[in-house]
Amino acid sequence: MNIPNKNELTRIYGEAEKSAARFQTVADHFAEIYHHDTAEFFTAPGRTEIIGNHTDHNGGRVIAGSIDMDTIGAAYPNNSSVIRITSEGYDKEVVVDINDLASVPKAQGTLSLVAGMVEAIQKFGFKVAGFDAYVTTNVIRAAGVSSSASFEMLVCSIINYFFNDGAMTYINYAKAGQYAENVYWLKASGLMDQLACAVGGPILLDFSDRENPKYEKVNFSFHDYNHHLVIVNTGKGHADLSAEYSEIPMEMKEAAKAAGAELLCETTLDKVLANMDKIENDRAILRAIHFFKENERVEKAAKAVEEKDGETVLKLLSESGKSSWELLQNCYPIKAYTEQKISVALALTDLFLEKLGKGICRIHGGGFAGVIMCVVPEEETENYVSYISEFAGKENVYPMNIRAVGAVHIEK
């Protein structure tokens, strides 16, 4: 069975040897399980949030990027109405009958996600038919780099290639993933994760139009500034964080309502401050201030990227992290204030970076537990990994790069 050609693999991964071996393994498992003598191959990356923490749900702006960890798959139509997906490391095959979506239970992980995406794609007016697929991923789970969105975008790229002649857009992909998470996984989700995985490379996102979010590619790499991105997973923690997450958009909307708007993107900071007496929750005011200042930082960062001003980019990322800690207040759960692994990891990283006089660290993603981002000088990357591994464990420290390619079919 032919696998993706080396030129394509080099374009996506920067090399062809390791990636070819990975796709060969996928092809072998696919042939063994589903008995096809041919396959098509697909990839969808995970993502990193660069700046724009908790702004998307109130119509804000974000710079995010795809990373060099991805979900890959071999797939082929099976001339039926049944989708069958085997994932490496999971014993149970995902089986979804397109004609019987009503029987698929909600909140049952991958099974529910696939059914939800099928339903959404059909609602959008596109075709779906049965196919077989074998998938594997090296996108780390529970580490804020969107392993679920990576899988969703892979499934969308398969359906788009086989049944829709490439007519689906990345916005269609993202909305299908969002619908699946909202309706079938019963999880509140925006579009940032999905779009960052689908489009590829660093992108500037604008969510002020909720129905039609806008994105544009930006020419950016931390290596342009002689720095390296390192993600540190500090651990999940024991507290139930669902309320903590939902309170952020709710409180921002509370501040917007006081200023006569539904979302903060529909008003201004001056109007919110002029109506502070109508806001009983002080934290809602602080979170609104974070939203407006964070939006400004995203715009400044986009301009600095365009001007190749790495010093300003890193300064803005540092300011963003401090705002998340002080104003947004998503570095630890108030109701379990003794669990502060994020804050500890940030403080320890600050001690390391302080001796260098350069580099930044900040919370990464949703917050309250989980992941921090460190942007460290390239020559100090190994030293930082060794240093923070003493506290977090080496298995939880991930140097990574931004890759240019999103969710795509790979030519053989």
Side-chain angles (χ1 to χ4, degrees):
M1 183 180 293
N2 291 337
I3 63 170
N5 74 61
K6 290 188 176 181
N7 288 338
E8 279 293 279
L9 292 177
T10 301
R11 180 178 71 88
I12 296 169
Y13 297 101
E15 58 80 36
E17 187 174 346
K18 289 181 181 178
S19 53
R22 194 165 163 234
F23 276 98
Q24 187 64 63
T25 299
V26 167
D28 292 343
H29 284 300
F30 178 71
E32 179 184 355
I33 295 168
Y34 293 112
H35 310 295
H36 291 278
D37 58 7
T38 188
E40 298 294 335
F41 297 91
F42 304 84
T43 172
R47 71 99 183 104
T48 181
E49 172 198 287
I50 297 167
I51 186 169
N53 195 214
H54 275 289
T55 59
D56 56 327
H57 47 63
N58 263 259
R61 300 180 181 91
V62 182
I63 296 178
S66 57
I67 59 172
D68 58 355
M69 295 175 174
D70 65 343
T71 304
I72 64 173
Y76 209 74
N78 58 26
N79 299 314
S80 77
S81 65
V82 178
I83 293 171
R84 302 184 297 180
I85 302 174
T86 298
S87 294
E88 182 183 31
Y90 291 85
D91 295 332
K92 193 170 183 180
E93 180 186 44
V94 171
V95 179
V96 173
D97 188 335
I98 297 164
N99 297 327
D100 191 22
L101 297 178
S103 69
V104 177
K106 304 292 174 67
Q108 295 298 308
T110 304
L111 176 67
S112 304
L113 281 180
V114 173
M117 282 184 285
V118 169
E119 183 169 284
I121 290 167
Q122 290 179 321
K123 281 178 177 285
F124 300 160
F126 297 105
K127 297 176 183 177
V128 185
F131 63 89
D132 301 324
Y134 181 88
V135 304
T136 183
T137 187
N138 59 15
V139 181
I140 44 182
R141 290 175 172 81
V145 290
S146 296
S147 57
S148 59
S150 174
F151 172 79
E152 293 160 16
M153 299 304 95
L154 184 84
V155 171
C156 286
S157 65
I158 291 171
I159 292 171
N160 192 27
Y161 178 80
F162 285 132
F163 311 119
N164 293 284
D165 295 322
M168 293 173 62
T169 67
Y170 288 137
I171 297 293
N172 297 142
Y173 282 23
K175 287 187 174 182
Q178 180 191 40
Y179 180 93
E181 294 202 13
N182 292 172
V183 178
Y184 273 75
W185 207 1
L186 309 181
K187 174 186 173 185
S189 170
L191 291 169
M192 190 267 284
D193 292 352
Q194 286 80 4
L195 277 171
C197 293
V199 177
I203 54 173
L204 172 63
L205 294 150
D206 184 341
F207 293 99
S208 55
D209 183 341
R210 281 176 282 179
E211 292 302 313
N212 295 291
K214 296 180 176 60
Y215 64 86
E216 60 181 276
K217 291 222 176 193
V218 291
N219 186 12
F220 166 80
S221 167
F222 286 116
H223 293 293
D224 294 340
Y225 317 136
N226 301 314
H227 280 65
H228 202 142
L229 172 64
V230 181
I231 296 293
V232 181
N233 189 0
T234 70
K236 185 176 184 297
H238 300 94
D240 180 1
L241 302 177
S242 55
E244 300 276 3
Y245 289 127
S246 62
E247 283 168 355
I248 292 179
M250 286 171 54
E251 291 180 6
M252 287 186 180
K253 289 173 184 175
E254 181 184 342
K257 185 178 179 181
E262 182 181 352
L263 300 178
L264 286 175
C265 68
E266 299 164 349
T267 185
T268 64
L269 177 57
D270 286 343
K271 288 181 181 177
V272 170
L273 297 180
N275 289 278
M276 278 175 54
D277 58 325
K278 300 176 185 175
I279 307 171
E280 295 182 3
N281 182 348
D282 291 338
R283 191 172 64 176
I285 299 169
L286 295 174
R287 286 175 163 171
I289 295 172
H290 165 82
F291 172 89
F292 289 110
K293 300 304 290 183
E294 187 77 339
N295 261 357
E296 290 179 11
R297 280 187 287 269
V298 171
E299 288 299 306
K300 290 177 181 176
K303 183 180 179 184
V305 165
E306 188 177 337
E307 296 173 351
K308 307 292 184 185
D309 183 356
E311 184 177 343
T312 296
V313 171
L314 295 178
K315 177 174 176 287
L316 290 164
L317 294 188
S318 180
E319 290 175 3
S320 171
K322 287 182 172 61
S323 180
S324 292
W325 200 337
E326 297 170 3
L327 300 179
L328 185 62
Q329 299 181 29
N330 68 330
C331 284
Y332 62 91
I334 293 292
K335 297 176 181 66
Y337 62 88
T338 59
E339 291 187 6
Q340 297 201 29
K341 291 183 175 63
I342 288 282
S343 301
V344 170
L346 290 171
L348 292 171
T349 301
D350 270 335
L351 291 175
F352 179 89
L353 297 177
E354 190 175 51
K355 294 177 183 177
L356 303 180
K358 51 187 175 179
I360 67 99
C361 64
R362 54 156 299 152
I363 194 165
H364 183 274
F368 300 109
V371 185
I372 72 164
M373 166 202 289
C374 179
V375 183
V376 64
E378 287 178 334
E379 68 274 12
E380 292 290 340
T381 302
E382 288 188 16
N383 291 334
Y384 174 69
V385 169
S386 297
Y387 167 81
I388 203 66
S389 292
E390 292 182 22
F391 306 100
K394 191 168 185 180
E395 70 279 6
N396 294 314
V397 183
Y398 308 94
M400 59 182 64
N401 301 297
I402 296 172
R403 86 172 199 182
V405 179
V408 295
H409 165 257
I410 309 175
E411 295 294 336
K412 291 187 290 188

